[in-house]
């Protein structure tokens, strides 16, 4: 038997800093190129030998996509926030558009889980486009029902839901993410619950919830539940959502529904020191905590 | 230390630095980035080496084809197992010869102008393997008929067939017979996983061929002489031609006893005739160098009605990995850990180190004792609980008393078992109440339940290898100290400085500690056994005191005529030689020197006629042996002394997820006399944090014979956010033969942390977890078991 386990060297020969989306995607068109944003995830892929064929790095810092702002046309019912894909975690958590708002409380919790050194450079775009299920931020963005604005050579600027992105992230490998859009409505709130083995580690399991309560009946009007670090990509729990929609959010109902959740999730992948069985056992607990927290927050509004 | 200088010490008490929390003498160097580490060493024309490693846990090497790699421009040397003398022992070979015994064992190494070239060359080297059956479970490996493979080293037979590299027996009294007469017999099995030292600085070496055919090596090692003599064996080269230098170490904890890696570096340098640097990556450090031995330990105890343990039987199995190196030596620590705390009339122990297809087990901070303390202190809690006794009272009832003899026949002297227990209980205000005395968190529907647990241990202090020192007194009264002392962050440079400064009654700034300037260097100082085993402060401390005293004698002899005082009546302190009986009769040290031009007329230097004021000192504790059949000591003690240590942990446990949060740990340790109390406390706090990691989150996990979490994201050492409030308590019970009464502080506090945390979890929830690490999953499983019963 021949040992052919190659561990090739990451050796990019060019770092390009395009100033237009068009230039960026032109370069991305070749198979030996890759986008670099905060470089906190990319470098570890390189170390693992996953970027052996990459020769060109496309640095997106000159594209003017670091911002967080409110969309211009706002209705009184819905307020939309636009975040450039190159915006760092720190810029988002310190924004007045996010702070103190129950609808984004989960977002802030997720952002603050990363160590400060990472928060200062890691970008929202890098976090999503890494397309792994154990990063915190995408789980909440998923629960918030974020819309992603991509730019590709073929389609130019176009919007897709984060739901469809996570259905097949590989489809967007040669596209540039330029913006994330999420909106909030009155009586809504979000939450994020992460279980890890240390205070600052990757999640063993996590859940995020966004809940909108009906203004008069106080029933659950709308709900989005997402789990991370359990399956290969983040997953929405449509069935549990369905069961809870238009129900009164009593702790009994929530607990009962959550208990079913473990059986609804398939292909749970174990991590070091957390077996599939363990993840199954804690899922209902994390889910319950995420839902009750979000309900509490929405009720307080 | 002479008694006269002890008296003077009292007279000049204000001039001693013993007990002073002096700022570390190397702190400025470190915070300004000027301290030199092996990684910083860059030599002209230096090559960079890389190692190709075996992808299988066990494989025969059929062929190695280096022809393509040799043709790559910039490749200067390639070494395989054939470049080294045939090894006649069970040590990890530099490079595997015909068989690789663990995944990631070195198979071939390259040195090239650039690191990239070396990496590329590795890709162009083709190795043909025949994968062989492998075993990683030591219990299977040592069972005849069950083990899938036998690990055979050249010229070495096992202690016992199959795969037992060492077996130590202790037979005191008759444990089996006593069990029959006991009121209660309790037997439990405890395990610990493979834990890494995770020192900040990975294993690194730089080797340079010397003009005389020898080699100089900069090493991440715990002692330059260890590297020198080990390299001599590995290279088959005269030790006198090997110069080993150890600059600052970025953490050690036992991790860098990897002379097999140094041998690769040196061999490449000699072959290429150019300097070579070999830096292991974090992954290589975790998968290809030694880690803490995993263990499986069964403890069986017979107890009488009053709560006295009458008989104990221990079967301890240590997974030694594929080779021994220091491993077969350090398993004796299992015995020292097991006999040094409790007084048990019938004591039987069988301790095995077993070969498996994992990387070799190596010493790690309190080697083997950590595992034994885990088993015994878990067991003590279990018994106390079953007897309905207070855990502290139960321990006190069974503890070895000052002046008693332990199970291997050593006299227990200068121990403080009761004292450390008292100190932690009163600091935690435990008063035997446990959980009920802790305010529970009622806000979160009691999901987090608090509990407290205690553990008591003792750490030995091995002698074994000699430590030598030299001091030279200068005209200015300053004192040069030449010792091979290894500063791995623990503060030993400061400790040695304080000891010599105190002996001469001079400020610390008047001590010229040469390793601070040059690093430790085997060719510049006397022999030293290095930093391992909590021994530098005591062993080197005694050596520098003897050296100081000898230098003083020379000065006294020289001053005797001038002062008209017999030399035995003279002492040297505070820059003067003076009569101990009449302080007025004294002279300045400078008066013992002559001055003469050294360059032209104006540049003048001082010198002494005849010998310089240089004193030498050697500290060597001659260790006895254990009788192979009874385990009783022959020809003297094994450990010169023991250090008592106790801790109480307070934890919160989440009943739903099984998460454990360590809230607070009170840790008391008998350090003899704290030469520098801040540094001694630092050692306690550091130990507790490190042990907490091993207790709650750390373990290298194997799948299919390979480690799957060899990185910081998956291995998970505690971060600063995980560290609880640690309250260190120094218990000072001076050691008669310690420098100024000092014992050691580096390792003992590693022992009680894990069992104290586990016992606290029991206090909180009534569950027993017998396996380390105590993961959330294990806690939940235990809870489930409890509910089912
Ligand atoms: C020490 C450390 C600790 C960490 N701790 C946490 C933690 O606690 N929780 C957590 O969730 N995460 C954690 N992370 C991960 C961190 O969140 C991610 O590395 C980060 O989000 C990636 O963002 P980046 O800007 O650095 O992306 P990069 O590393 O630059 O890129 C990541 C990937 O996204 C692609 N990409 C980037 N931007 C775009 C874009 N605009 N359009 C298309 N593709 C793009 C890149 O090509 C690459 O494939 C940690 C990372 C480190 C190194």
């Amino acid at each position: 038997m021949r040992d052919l386990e190659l561990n090739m060297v990451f050796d990019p020969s060019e770092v390009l800093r395009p100033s237009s989306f068009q230039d960026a995607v032109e370069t991305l068109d070749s198979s030996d190129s890759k986008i670099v944003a905060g470089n906190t995830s990319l470098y570890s892929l390189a170390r693992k030998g996953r970027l052996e064929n990459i020769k060109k790095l496309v640095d997106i810092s000159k594209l003017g996509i670091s911002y967080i702002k409110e969309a211009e046309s706002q209705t009184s019912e819905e307020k939309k926030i636009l975040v450039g894909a190159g915006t760092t975690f720190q810029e988002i958590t310190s924004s007045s558009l996010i702070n103190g708002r129950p609808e984004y409380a989960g977002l802030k919790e997720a952002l603050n889980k990363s160590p400060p050194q990472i928060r200062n450079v890691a970008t929202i775009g890098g976090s999503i486009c890494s397309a792994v299920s154990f990063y915190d931020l995408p789980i909440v963005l998923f629960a918030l029902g974020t819309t992603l604005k991509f730019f590709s050579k073929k389609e130019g600027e176009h919007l897709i839901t984060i739901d469809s992105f996570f259905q097949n992230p590989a489809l967007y490998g040669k596209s540039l993410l330029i913006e994330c859009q999420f909106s909030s409505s009155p009586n809504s709130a979000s939450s994020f619950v992460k279980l890890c083995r240390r205070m600052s580690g990757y999640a063993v399991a996590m859940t995020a919830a966004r809940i909108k309560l009906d203004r008069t009946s106080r029933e659950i009007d709308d709900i989005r539940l997402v789990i991370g670090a359990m399956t290969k990509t983040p997953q929405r729990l449509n069935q549990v959502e369905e069961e809870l929609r238009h129900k009164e959010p009593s702790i009994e109902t929530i607990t009962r529904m959550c208990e079913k959740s473990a059986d609804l999730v398939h292909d749970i992948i174990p991590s070091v020191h957390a077996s599939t069985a363990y993840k199954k056992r804690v899922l209902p607990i994390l889910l319950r905590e995420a839902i009750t927290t979000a309900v509490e927050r929405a009720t307080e509004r | 230390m002479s008694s006269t200088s002890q008296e003077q010490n009292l007279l000049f008490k204000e001039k001693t630095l013993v007990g002073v929390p002096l700022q570390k003498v190397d702190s400025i160097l470190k915070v300004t980035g000027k301290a030199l580490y092996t990684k910083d060493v860059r030599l002209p024309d230096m090559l960079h080496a890389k190692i190709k490693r075996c992808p299988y846990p066990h494989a025969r090497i059929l062929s190695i084809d280096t022809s393509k790699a040799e043709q790559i421009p910039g490749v200067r040397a390639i070494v395989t197992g054939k470049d080294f003398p045939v090894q006649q022992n069970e040590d990890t070979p530099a490079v595997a010869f015909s068989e690789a015994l663990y995944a990631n064992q070195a198979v071939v190494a390259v040195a090239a102008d650039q690191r990239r070239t070396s990496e590329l060359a590795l890709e162009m080297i083709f190795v043909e393997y025949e994968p062989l059956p492998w075993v990683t479970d030591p219990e299977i490996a040592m069972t005849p008929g069950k083990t899938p493979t036998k690990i055979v080293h050249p010229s070495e037979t096992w202690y016992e067939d199959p795969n037992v590299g060492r077996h130590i027996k202790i037979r005191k009294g008759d444990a089996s017979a006593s069990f029959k007469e006991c009121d209660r017999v309790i037997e439990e099995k405890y395990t610990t996983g493979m834990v890494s030292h995770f020192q900040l600085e990975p294993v690194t070496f730089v080797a340079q061929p010397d003009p005389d055919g020898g080699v100089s090596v900069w090493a991440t090692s715990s002692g330059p002489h260890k590297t020198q003599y080990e390299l001599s064996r590995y290279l088959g080269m005269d030790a006198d031609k090997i110069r080993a230098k150890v600059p600052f170490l970025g953490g050690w904890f036992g991790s860098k006893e990897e002379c097999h890696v140094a041998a690769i570096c040196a061999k490449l340098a000699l072959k290429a005739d150019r300097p070579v640097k070999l830096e292991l990556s974090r992954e290589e450090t975790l998968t290809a160098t030694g880690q803490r031995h995993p263990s499986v330990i069964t403890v069986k105890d017979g107890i009488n009605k009053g709560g006295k343990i009458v008989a104990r039987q221990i079967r301890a199995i240590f997974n030694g990995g594929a080779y021994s190196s220091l491993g077969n030596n350090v398993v004796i620590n299992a015995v020292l850990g097991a006999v040094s705390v409790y007084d048990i009339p019938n004591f039987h122990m069988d301790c095995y180190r077993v070969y498996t297809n994992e990387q070799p087990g190596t010493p790690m901070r309190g080697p083997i004792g950590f595992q034994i303390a885990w088993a015994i202190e878990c067991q003590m809690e279990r018994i106390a609980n079953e007897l309905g006794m207070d855990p502290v009272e139960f321990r006190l009832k069974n503890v070895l008393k000052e002046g008693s003899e332990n199970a291997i026949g050593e006299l227990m002297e200068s121990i403080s078992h009761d004292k450390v227990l008292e100190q932690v209980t009163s600091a935690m205000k435990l008063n035997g109440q446990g959980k009920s005395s802790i305010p529970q968190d009622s806000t979160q529907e009691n999901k987090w339940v608090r509990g407290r647990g205690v553990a008591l241990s003792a750490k030995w202090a091995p002698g074994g290898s000699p430590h030598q020192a030299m001091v030279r007194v200068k005209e200015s009264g300053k004192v040069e100290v030449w010792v091979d002392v290894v500063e791995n962050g623990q503060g030993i440079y400061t400790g040695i400085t304080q000891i010599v400064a105190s002996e001469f009654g001079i400020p610390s700034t008047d001590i010229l500690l040469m390793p601070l300037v040059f690093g430790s260097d085997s060719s510049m100082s006397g022999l030293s056994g290095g930093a391992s085993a909590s021994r530098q402060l005591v062993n080197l401390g005694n050596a520098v005191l003897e050296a100081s005293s000898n230098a003083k004698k020379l000065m006294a002899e020289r001053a005797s005529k001038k002062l008209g005082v017999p030399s035995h009546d003279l002492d040297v302190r505070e820059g003067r030689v003076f009569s101990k009986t009449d302080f007025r009769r004294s002279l300045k040290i400078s008066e013992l020197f002559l001055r003469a031009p050294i360059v032209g007329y104006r540049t003048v230097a001082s010198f002494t006629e005849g010998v310089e004021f240089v004193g030498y000192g050697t500290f060597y504790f001659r260790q006895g042996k254990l009788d192979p059949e009874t385990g009783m000591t022959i020809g003297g003690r094994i450990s010169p002394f023991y250090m008592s240590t106790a801790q109480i942990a307070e934890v919160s446990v989440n009943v739903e997820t099984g998460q454990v949060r360590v809230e607070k740990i009170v840790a008391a340790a008998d350090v003899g006399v704290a030469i520098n109390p801040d540094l001694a406390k630092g050692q306690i706090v550091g130990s507790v944090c490190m042990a907490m990691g091993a207790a709650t989150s750390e373990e290298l996990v194997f799948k299919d014979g390979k480690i799957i979490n060899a990185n910081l994201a998956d291995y998970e050492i505690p971060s600063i956010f995980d560290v609880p409030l640690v309250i260190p308590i120094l218990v000072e019970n001076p050691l008669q033969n310690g420098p100024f009464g000092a014992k050691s502080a580096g390792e003992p506090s590693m022992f009680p942390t894990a069992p104290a945390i586990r016992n606290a979890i029991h206090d909180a929830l009534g569950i027993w977890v017998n396996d380390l690490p105590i993961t959330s999953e294990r806690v939940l499983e235990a809870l489930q078991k409890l509910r089912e019963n």
Side-chain angles (χ1 to χ4, degrees):
Chain A
M1 197 183 298
R2 283 248 154 188
D3 159 41
L4 283 175
E5 242 181 63
L6 292 191
N7 178 20
M8 283 297 282
V9 193
F10 175 52
D11 188 13
S13 46
E14 273 182 279
V15 180
L16 304 155
R17 292 194 177 77
S19 52
S20 76
F21 298 158
Q22 194 61 45
D23 285 353
V25 293
E26 290 292 342
T27 319
L28 276 180
D29 213 25
S30 68
S31 63
D32 62 352
S33 62
K34 190 129 187 96
I35 290 177
V36 59
N39 195 28
T40 59
S41 180
L42 202 69
Y43 89 98
S44 71
L45 291 180
R47 272 197 69 113
K48 286 179 190 147
R50 305 248 187 93
L51 302 181
E52 60 220 43
N53 55 349
I54 298 300
K55 294 286 168 234
K56 286 182 227 152
L57 286 178
V58 183
D59 178 344
I60 57 167
S61 58
K62 295 278 183 291
L63 292 177
I65 50 172
S66 296
Y67 55 82
I68 172 164
K69 60 187 182 197
E70 263 176 323
E72 275 162 23
S73 56
Q74 301 275 15
T75 66
S76 60
E77 268 301 288
E78 245 193 22
K79 288 216 175 348
K80 196 186 267 180
I81 290 183
L82 314 176
V83 185
T87 315
T88 65
F89 290 12
Q90 190 55 39
E91 286 161 346
I92 305 171
T93 93
S94 50
S95 161
S96 59
L97 294 174
I98 300 293
N99 275 316
R101 297 176 66 170
E103 56 269 47
Y104 301 128
L107 187 64
K108 193 159 169 89
E109 279 164 341
L111 287 164
N112 286 345
K113 294 285 181 199
S114 299
Q117 297 92 325
I118 297 301
R119 290 206 292 266
N120 286 331
V121 284
T123 64
I124 185 170
S127 182
I128 297 170
C129 294
S130 297
V132 291
S133 88
F134 52 88
Y135 282 0
D136 306 328
L137 181 58
I139 307 304
V140 187
L141 291 171
F142 200 167
L144 289 179
T146 303
T147 302
L148 305 177
K149 190 195 271 184
F150 272 100
F151 193 97
S152 70
K153 200 174 163 201
K154 220 159 85 198
E155 293 172 83
E157 240 178 68
H158 57 287
L159 295 174
I160 62 157
T161 62
I162 196 166
D163 298 54
S164 43
F165 173 77
F166 277 121
Q167 255 160 33
N168 194 354
L171 285 182
Y172 306 88
K174 289 288 155 193
S175 305
L176 168 72
L177 177 63
I178 48 183
E179 192 177 88
C180 305
Q181 312 177 343
F182 40 83
S183 48
S184 73
S185 47
N187 310 315
S188 75
S190 69
S191 64
F192 173 71
V193 179
K194 175 179 179 182
L195 185 124
C196 43
R197 291 170 50 222
R198 298 171 305 150
M199 299 291 265
S200 65
Y202 286 120
V204 162
M206 58 185 152
T207 54
R210 200 214 43 193
I211 287 172
K212 183 171 183 300
L213 296 182
D214 185 276
R215 204 174 305 178
T216 44
S217 71
R218 308 309 286 180
E219 277 177 1
I220 294 177
D221 188 18
D222 190 24
I223 177 165
R224 285 175 68 95
L225 300 172
V226 178
I227 55 170
M230 308 276 284
T231 48
K232 230 174 156 159
T233 46
Q235 251 189 44
R236 240 182 108 177
L237 299 179
N238 304 74
Q239 253 176 294
V240 185
E241 290 173 7
E242 205 49 57
E243 304 234 19
L244 282 167
R245 207 164 280 136
H246 307 305
K247 299 253 164 53
E248 196 202 326
S250 70
I251 184 76
E252 294 75 25
T253 316
I254 295 171
T255 309
R256 192 153 31 85
M257 296 306 167
C258 288
E259 269 159 15
K260 289 191 193 163
S261 64
D263 295 328
L264 300 172
V265 184
H266 306 290
D267 306 322
I268 295 181
I269 37 179
S271 34
V272 178
H273 286 131
S275 69
T276 301
Y278 175 73
K279 290 191 177 190
K280 267 191 170 201
R281 285 196 57 184
V282 294
L283 172 60
I285 294 153
L286 304 187
L287 202 55
R288 187 199 63 207
E289 199 168 321
I291 299 171
T292 48
T293 309
V295 167
E296 255 168 50
R297 286 177 182 157
T299 314
E300 279 161 16
R301 298 195 70 185
Chain B
M1 186 174 47
S2 62
S3 64
T4 48
S5 62
Q6 244 162 5
E7 286 154 26
Q8 285 303 326
N9 209 22
L10 293 177
L11 275 169
F12 290 85
K13 198 149 197 261
E14 71 281 9
K15 296 288 184 192
T16 181
L17 284 176
V18 170
V20 176
L22 193 73
Q23 179 184 315
K24 276 191 182 180
V25 296
D26 50 355
S27 53
I28 302 286
L29 286 181
K30 288 203 173 153
V31 295
T32 54
K34 288 190 184 128
L36 183 91
Y37 293 82
T38 304
K39 195 182 172 62
D40 300 323
V41 175
R42 283 186 191 88
L43 302 174
D45 291 334
M46 190 169 79
L47 306 174
H48 297 269
K50 282 274 156 194
I51 298 173
K52 193 173 184 77
R53 300 179 175 283
C54 176
Y56 306 101
H58 189 189
R60 187 165 296 126
I61 300 166
L62 300 177
S63 69
I64 302 176
D65 177 1
T66 58
S67 55
K68 285 224 167 62
E70 281 159 23
Q71 283 155 24
I72 299 173
V75 170
R76 306 289 171 184
I78 298 178
V79 298
T80 66
K82 297 201 177 76
D83 288 284
F84 294 88
V86 176
Q87 202 171 302
Q88 299 298 330
N89 55 41
E90 67 274 26
D91 284 356
T92 313
V95 181
F97 188 69
S98 56
E99 210 175 304
L101 294 180
Y102 63 93
N104 269 0
Q105 186 171 352
V107 173
V108 51
V110 177
D113 295 350
Q114 308 277 329
R115 203 161 65 186
R116 288 238 162 95
T117 314
S118 293
E119 285 169 339
L120 191 70
L122 291 191
E123 305 304 334
M124 304 311 284
I125 293 175
F126 302 98
V127 185
E128 219 173 329
Y129 296 101
E130 178 195 340
L132 297 172
W134 49 273
V135 61
T136 49
D137 181 331
E139 287 181 286
I140 294 176
M142 69 191 289
T143 312
K146 251 182 143 181
T147 181
T149 188
K150 291 189 182 186
I151 293 162
V152 188
H153 300 120
S155 311
E156 188 236 4
T157 45
W158 308 290
Y159 226 87
E160 276 159 28
D161 184 20
N163 294 325
V164 175
R166 181 133 195 227
H167 177 188
I168 305 174
K169 284 184 255 181
I170 310 293
R171 300 283 182 267
K172 184 198 172 200
D174 189 342
S176 327
S178 314
F179 287 136
K180 295 191 191 109
E181 286 148 28
C182 287
D183 297 299
R184 225 177 243 257
V185 175
I186 296 173
E187 181 173 350
E188 286 287 321
K189 189 170 175 177
Y190 305 94
T191 70
T192 64
M194 183 186 281
V195 172
S196 170
H197 316 80
F198 236 105
Q199 78 291 350
L200 214 54
E201 177 195 33
V203 173
T204 306
F205 296 96
V206 175
Q208 179 182 40
D210 286 336
D212 64 350
V215 65
S216 289
V217 176
W218 285 260
T220 52
S221 145
S222 67
H225 291 99
K226 288 182 181 169
T227 306
Q228 178 194 6
Y229 284 93
E230 286 230 276
L231 266 184
S232 158
R233 288 196 302 131
Y234 273 108
L235 299 175
M237 185 187 262
D238 180 0
D240 293 338
K241 289 211 162 175
I242 297 171
R243 292 93 200 181
K245 304 160 201 285
V246 179
F248 281 102
L249 277 188
W252 177 70
F253 312 117
S255 62
K256 291 164 179 164
E257 306 288 17
E258 302 292 346
C259 214
H260 55 105
V261 186
I264 298 176
C265 186
K267 187 49 119 187
L268 284 167
L270 290 166
K271 212 169 164 180
D273 198 20
R274 278 172 64 173
V276 171
K277 180 184 261 184
L278 174 52
E279 288 178 79
L280 298 196
S281 67
R282 176 64 67 189
E283 290 79 359
E284 284 178 298
T285 298
L286 288 173
T287 59
T289 71
Q291 313 296 339
R292 172 173 277 152
H293 293 76
S295 68
V296 182
I297 302 168
T298 312
V299 188
K300 182 175 177 183
D301 286 319
I303 312 106
N304 73 14
K305 276 211 179 64
K308 180 87 189 101
I309 305 173
V310 184
R312 170 168 283 172
Q313 196 170 38
I314 299 179
R315 180 178 155 87
I317 298 163
F318 297 94
N319 182 345
Y323 296 95
S324 167
S325 295
L326 273 172
N328 286 347
N329 280 11
V330 295
V331 279
I332 195 177
N333 294 349
V335 174
L336 303 179
V339 302
S340 54
V341 186
Y342 301 108
D343 189 7
I344 302 169
N346 300 287
F347 184 89
H348 280 202
M349 181 166 188
D350 286 279
C351 167
Y352 304 88
R353 186 175 184 277
V354 181
Y355 293 126
T356 64
N357 295 107
E358 292 185 355
Q359 75 248 56
T362 202
M364 174 176 169
R365 205 173 191 178
I368 304 290
F370 175 90
Q371 296 90 315
I372 281 288
W374 162 250
I376 291 181
E377 286 307 290
C378 288
Q379 176 82 352
M380 291 303 284
E381 194 72 14
R382 186 78 189 228
I383 305 174
N385 185 263
E386 297 219 357
L387 299 181
M389 276 183 82
D390 172 74
V392 173
E393 226 171 81
F394 172 63
R395 284 175 174 81
L396 283 173
K397 187 159 203 139
N398 287 286
V399 103
L400 277 162
K401 298 279 183 296
E402 179 77 16
S404 58
E405 204 178 78
N406 68 15
I408 55 171
E410 293 174 326
L411 201 61
M412 298 302 284
E413 290 173 310
S414 189
I415 51 170
S416 317
H417 294 359
D418 333 31
K419 188 81 187 289
V420 288
L421 261 184
E422 268 165 37
Q423 292 274 326
V424 287
T425 25
S426 66
M428 207 48 133
K429 295 186 185 55
L430 195 69
N431 307 330
Q433 290 159 31
K435 178 167 89 171
S436 52
S437 61
I438 319 168
Q440 297 290 331
D441 189 350
S442 56
T443 53
Q444 293 192 25
E445 304 137 37
N446 278 342
K447 268 190 306 203
W448 290 92
V449 183
R450 287 203 179 209
R452 280 178 186 161
V454 68
L456 168 72
S457 312
K459 167 75 179 60
W460 53 95
S465 40
H467 286 73
Q468 296 188 304
M470 182 187 106
V471 304
R472 174 187 280 123
V473 183
K474 311 290 279 187
E475 186 207 16
S476 60
K478 291 193 174 68
V479 179
E480 273 179 14
V481 183
W482 294 84
V483 279
D484 267 351
V485 57
V486 173
E487 174 62 62
N488 56 37
Q490 81 281 54
I492 190 69
Y493 281 4
T494 311
I496 294 294
T497 300
Q498 285 183 246
I499 287 174
V500 182
S502 300
E503 181 61 13
F504 281 95
I506 55 179
S508 63
T509 43
D510 281 357
I511 302 298
L512 307 170
L513 185 72
M514 300 327 282
L516 188 73
V517 183
F518 300 116
S520 263
D521 189 326
S522 65
S523 59
M524 295 212 272
S525 299
L527 198 67
S528 158
S532 48
S534 297
R535 66 184 178 196
Q536 271 197 132
L537 188 79
V538 173
N539 293 10
L540 270 182
N542 278 329
V544 291
L545 281 179
E546 189 183 288
S548 303
S549 157
N550 286 336
K552 283 180 171 187
K553 269 189 206 138
L554 293 174
M555 297 167 82
E557 277 160 21
R558 195 71 51 83
S560 167
K561 260 193 234 127
K562 285 198 173 194
L563 289 171
V565 176
S567 64
H568 62 80
D569 184 36
L570 291 174
D571 194 9
V572 183
R573 284 187 73 81
E574 296 174 43
R576 299 190 77 82
V577 186
F578 59 90
S579 157
K580 286 180 272 188
T581 46
D582 179 0
F583 290 163
R584 286 163 308 177
R585 306 181 79 168
S586 76
L587 53 77
K588 280 217 286 278
I589 286 180
S590 56
E591 292 174 56
L592 296 176
F593 284 78
L594 301 174
R595 309 193 112 231
I598 186 89
V599 187
Y601 296 110
R602 280 184 296 275
T603 308
V604 175
S606 60
F607 68 105
T608 52
E609 267 179 319
V611 293
E612 287 189 283
F613 301 133
V614 172
Y616 296 92
T618 298
F619 182 83
Y620 180 38
F621 172 82
R622 283 174 186 76
Q623 225 169 5
K625 274 200 202 119
L626 293 182
D627 180 282
E629 289 312 314
T630 65
M632 291 301 280
T633 48
I634 311 170
R637 355 175 16 116
I638 305 293
S639 176
F641 59 94
Y642 288 93
M643 294 157 282
S644 315
T645 158
Q647 291 173 20
I648 291 179
E650 185 172 314
V651 304
S652 295
V653 195
N654 187 312
V655 290
E656 289 187 327
T657 59
Q659 284 165 288
V660 175
R661 224 164 42 203
V662 181
E663 307 281 359
K664 181 173 168 185
I665 292 187
V666 178
D670 174 7
V671 297
V673 165
I675 302 290
N676 184 319
D678 277 3
L679 294 184
K681 283 181 189 165
Q683 287 301 306
I684 297 179
V685 176
S687 298
V688 167
C689 296
M690 193 172 201
M692 190 196 82
T696 56
S697 66
E698 293 180 39
E699 185 183 21
L700 285 165
V701 179
F702 280 79
K703 194 171 173 233
D704 303 328
K706 293 182 184 187
I707 292 174
I708 55 166
N709 60 336
N711 61 67
L712 269 161
D714 295 323
Y715 179 78
E716 306 222 60
I717 56 172
S719 77
I720 193 68
F721 303 112
D722 301 285
V723 167
L725 171 67
V726 183
I727 301 171
I729 300 172
L730 299 176
V731 173
E732 296 195 288
N733 179 5
L735 177 72
Q736 211 187 353
N737 300 321
F740 295 109
K743 294 176 186 161
S744 332
E747 296 170 305
S749 300
M750 282 296 288
F751 294 174
T753 312
I757 290 172
R758 176 263 194 187
N759 296 341
I761 295 170
H762 175 261
D763 183 43
L765 301 180
I767 56 169
W768 297 115
V769 182
N770 287 0
D771 308 297
L772 281 184
I774 309 170
T775 60
S776 310
E777 181 155 12
R778 284 180 170 154
V779 170
L780 266 199
E781 273 167 11
L783 259 177
Q784 178 97 12
K785 219 158 95 188
L786 182 78
R787 285 185 190 131
E788 281 164 7
N789 292 337

